[in-house]
Amino acid sequence: MYDYLIVGAGLAGSVLAERLASKANKKVLLIDKRNHIGGNTFDYYNSDGILVHKYGPHIFHTNSKEIFDYLGNFTEWRPYEHHVLASVDGQLVPIPINQNTVNALYGLNLSQLQVQDFFDSKAEKKDQILTSEDVVVNAVGRELYEKFFKHYTVKQWALDPSALDASVTARVPTRTNKDNRYFTDSYQAMPLHGYTNMFHRLLDHPNIHIMLNTDYKDLVDEIKFQTLIYSGPIDAYFDFCFGKLPYRSINFKSQTIDSENYQPTGTVNYPMSQAYTRITEFKHLTGQKHEKTSIVFEYPTAEGDPYYPIPRKENMEIYNRYKTLAVSEPNTFFTGRLGTYKYYNMDQVIAQSLTLFKKIMQTEQLHNKHEPIKSSNGTTQFS
């Protein structure tokens, strides 16, 4: 008998498994349909001995010391600040758009105050910011929107930015200074020996039993457990009874090059005519020294593993129907990007799992004051 069956060995499920096993002395069965732990952060050494990220680049960044220190129990850190260039008008210029971007793109020498004046002169002010297009044209105008965001967004989402929630482009700020960093969080680093190594240490506990290549529905009637934590797709859990929630996926095309370096930064975005959205060179991220280098091209697609929930009103209406149905599920918690149909950064997933762990413990303590917990008395909660 397991205390907890956790579906999904990515960050959401693995952090909960570690907390429940090490802090609450619970017996946990952690399963995943893939053949590895680590979810989308899984990395490995390819046939040339280069450490690569199987599912595209994952850069850890957070403003939370608690989360940074928590992961630090399972990895040493390599300080790393991510820089992204965009291929625009035959130049490689920094993104997010900043003072350096404007000066390079237009052959100017504007000061920080003059850059703000430049943006103001181009901006098309909106009374309401409702869509991704609104966010950008309101801040920097239509010309920069066309160069950096419109076509990239269409490739990424197969939708015009005017049809997407404002949250999509709001994730990429506009700056008036010369800060070329993609992220400005207080803590920015990469696991020194890779994410997979970190996950092995995270899950190295005698109370945790791991089963890979295992589908939840093939197992659920064969294993005895008290409580389920589900970080898989919520629509799949309910057999798509309200229809399938749409996601964007990515086809990754990897290539090893017989050269020490390929490009000047970890990632270069291609917002214009190319079919791919970006190229990442992993050695920038990992700091690995190697005579060769490995890159990956990303081609967004509608089919494949679910990576990005599509933030549109009609999709949230479908999700909310599933969420309402899930409330009636006994002893079941839905969490993670797929379980709650929301795009999260890595630190947000960890924060969600740490918060859910505290809720679970509080619920158990409350029940223990009154009566033993019975499997039929649980209620579904969302982290």
Side-chain angles (χ1 to χ4, degrees), residues 321-338:
R321 295 180 71 188
Y322 282 117
K323 182 177 178 179
T324 299
L325 186 62
V327 172
S328 64
E329 291 293 290
N331 285 340
T332 306
F333 297 86
F334 292 83
T335 192
R337 184 186 296 188
L338 304 181

Side-chain angles (χ1 to χ4, degrees), residues 239-377:
D239 295 318
F240 308 103
C241 64
F242 298 131
K244 191 172 183 180
L245 285 166
Y247 288 86
R248 291 296 284 171
S249 189
I250 301 173
N251 285 330
F252 299 101
K253 304 295 183 184
S254 300
Q255 183 178 346
T256 296
I257 297 171
D258 195 9
S259 173
E260 285 195 25
N261 293 106
Y262 177 78
Q263 60 191 28
T265 58
T267 298
V268 176
N269 286 1
Y270 290 85
M272 304 303 284
S273 60
Q274 291 84 352
Y276 48 86
T277 52
R278 61 182 181 176
I279 302 173
T280 295
E281 183 177 6
F282 293 109
K283 284 169 58 180
H284 288 283
L285 281 58
T286 64
Q288 183 181 9
K289 303 298 181 184
H290 197 286
E291 61 184 8
K292 297 181 180 180
T293 193
S294 185
I295 61 174
V296 65
F297 298 77
E298 296 186 27
Y299 296 84
T301 176
E303 303 298 326
D305 289 342
Y307 293 135
Y308 301 105
I310 301 176
R312 302 186 75 191
K313 181 181 178 181
E314 52 265 47
N315 298 339
M316 289 309 300
E317 289 173 352
I318 297 172
Y319 164 69
N320 285 331
R321 295 180 71 188
Y322 282 117
K323 182 177 178 179
T324 299
L325 186 62
V327 172
S328 64
E329 291 293 290
N331 285 340
T332 306
F333 297 86
F334 292 83
T335 192
R337 184 186 296 188
L338 304 181
T340 56
Y341 196 67
K342 186 174 181 180
Y343 182 87
Y344 293 111
N345 290 328
M346 286 186 284
D347 65 323
Q348 294 172 317
V349 172
I350 296 165
Q352 185 188 45
S353 291
L354 294 176
T355 299
L356 179 55
F357 169 71
K358 292 175 184 177
K359 288 181 180 179
I360 291 172
M361 292 298 97
Q362 290 169 358
T363 301
E364 284 202 4
Q365 290 171 6
L366 181 62
H367 283 205
N368 287 337
K369 286 182 180 179
H370 302 287
E371 59 181 352
I373 298 177
K374 297 179 182 179
S375 61
S376 61
N377 288 340

Side-chain angles (χ1 to χ4, degrees), residues 65-314:
K65 186 177 186 298
E66 177 189 4
I67 292 173
F68 186 73
D69 289 346
Y70 169 72
L71 283 187
N73 292 316
F74 311 104
T75 184
E76 300 171 72
W77 291 111
R78 172 184 177 261
Y80 173 75
E81 293 182 334
H82 195 48
H83 289 75
V84 178
L85 297 172
S87 178
V88 175
D89 292 347
Q91 300 184 65
L92 294 180
V93 294
I95 190 169
I97 297 171
N98 62 29
Q99 184 179 354
N100 292 326
T101 311
V102 172
N103 285 335
L105 201 60
Y106 294 99
L108 300 173
N109 189 27
L110 302 180
S111 67
Q112 185 169 339
L113 291 177
Q114 289 172 324
V115 170
Q116 185 60 64
D117 291 339
F118 177 87
F119 290 152
D120 290 342
S121 71
K122 301 289 187 181
E124 298 177 11
K125 293 302 179 182
K126 302 286 184 179
D127 293 332
Q128 288 184 297
I129 306 298
L130 301 176
T131 71
S132 284
E133 178 182 304
D134 293 340
V135 171
V136 182
V137 298
N138 181 74
V140 299
R142 194 156 297 275
E143 183 178 357
L144 289 171
Y145 160 74
E146 295 273 351
K147 290 181 183 293
F148 287 89
F149 291 94
K150 179 178 174 65
H151 305 292
Y152 188 97
T153 303
V154 170
K155 286 193 290 185
Q156 179 70 30
W157 298 96
L159 290 167
D160 190 88
S162 62
L164 280 168
D165 186 82
S167 62
V168 174
T169 49
R171 293 172 58 86
V172 183
T174 300
R175 302 175 186 146
T176 58
N177 58 22
K178 294 182 177 180
D179 189 348
N180 286 340
R181 297 176 301 166
Y182 198 74
F183 307 110
T184 58
D185 301 68
S186 301
Y187 303 93
Q188 302 184 46
M190 298 290 287
L192 182 61
H193 303 293
Y195 285 103
T196 301
N197 178 275
M198 180 185 75
F199 271 86
H200 279 296
R201 294 174 63 180
L202 183 75
L203 298 172
D204 184 17
H205 193 283
N207 284 353
I208 300 174
H209 181 202
I210 301 171
M211 294 180 65
L212 302 176
N213 297 304
T214 302
D215 189 282
Y216 156 73
K217 295 203 170 181
D218 293 337
L219 180 81
V220 64
D221 294 328
E222 307 298 327
I223 297 292
K224 293 182 178 180
F225 61 93
Q226 291 186 329
T227 303
L228 173 68
I229 297 175
Y230 185 85
S231 68
I234 190 171
D235 53 350
Y237 179 91
F238 291 107
D239 295 318
F240 308 103
C241 64
F242 298 131
K244 191 172 183 180
L245 285 166
Y247 288 86
R248 291 296 284 171
S249 189
I250 301 173
N251 285 330
F252 299 101
K253 304 295 183 184
S254 300
Q255 183 178 346
T256 296
I257 297 171
D258 195 9
S259 173
E260 285 195 25
N261 293 106
Y262 177 78
Q263 60 191 28
T265 58
T267 298
V268 176
N269 286 1
Y270 290 85
M272 304 303 284
S273 60
Q274 291 84 352
Y276 48 86
T277 52
R278 61 182 181 176
I279 302 173
T280 295
E281 183 177 6
F282 293 109
K283 284 169 58 180
H284 288 283
L285 281 58
T286 64
Q288 183 181 9
K289 303 298 181 184
H290 197 286
E291 61 184 8
K292 297 181 180 180
T293 193
S294 185
I295 61 174
V296 65
F297 298 77
E298 296 186 27
Y299 296 84
T301 176
E303 303 298 326
D305 289 342
Y307 293 135
Y308 301 105
I310 301 176
R312 302 186 75 191
K313 181 181 178 181
E314 52 265 47

